[in-house]
């Protein structure tokens, strides 16, 4: 996160570096959630085809009951 924070200033190749840093951060998050014995999270819910459809519909129309 320190690297991402440092790249918020206008510097050459900032956008490219931020994109790659965020990709690495996402990979690390996915790795850590796969290794932990924590309760099921959003990624596990999205792996279920029926629940994934429901979650996507909720996010498409968040103001709908």
């Amino acid at each position: 996160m320190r690297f991402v924070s440092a790249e918020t200033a206008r510097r050459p190749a900032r956008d490219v570096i931020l994109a790659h840093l965020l990709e690495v951060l996402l990979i690390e998050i996915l790795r850590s959630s796969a290794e932990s014995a924590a309760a099921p999270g959003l990624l596990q819910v999205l792996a279920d085809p029926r629940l994934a459809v429901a979650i996507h519909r909720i996010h498409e129309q968040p103001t709908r009951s």
Side-chain angles (χ1 to χ4, degrees):
M1 289 306 297
R2 278 184 278 146
F3 291 124
V4 171
S5 179
E7 287 300 325
T8 58
R10 282 277 173 209
R11 295 171 33 175
R14 172 189 154 225
D15 293 339
V16 173
I17 292 171
L18 274 175
H20 289 291
L21 284 173
L22 293 174
E23 286 176 4
V24 171
L25 186 59
L26 175 61
I27 291 167
E28 288 301 316
I29 290 168
L30 293 173
R31 281 180 177 172
S32 69
S33 67
E35 294 171 356
S36 73
L42 181 60
L43 293 176
Q44 291 174 329
V45 170
L46 292 176
D48 182 305
R50 293 174 300 162
L51 293 176
V53 170
I55 296 293
H56 285 293
R57 288 188 180 154
I58 289 169
H59 285 245
E60 286 172 354
Q61 299 177 2
T63 58
R64 186 175 176 196
S65 305

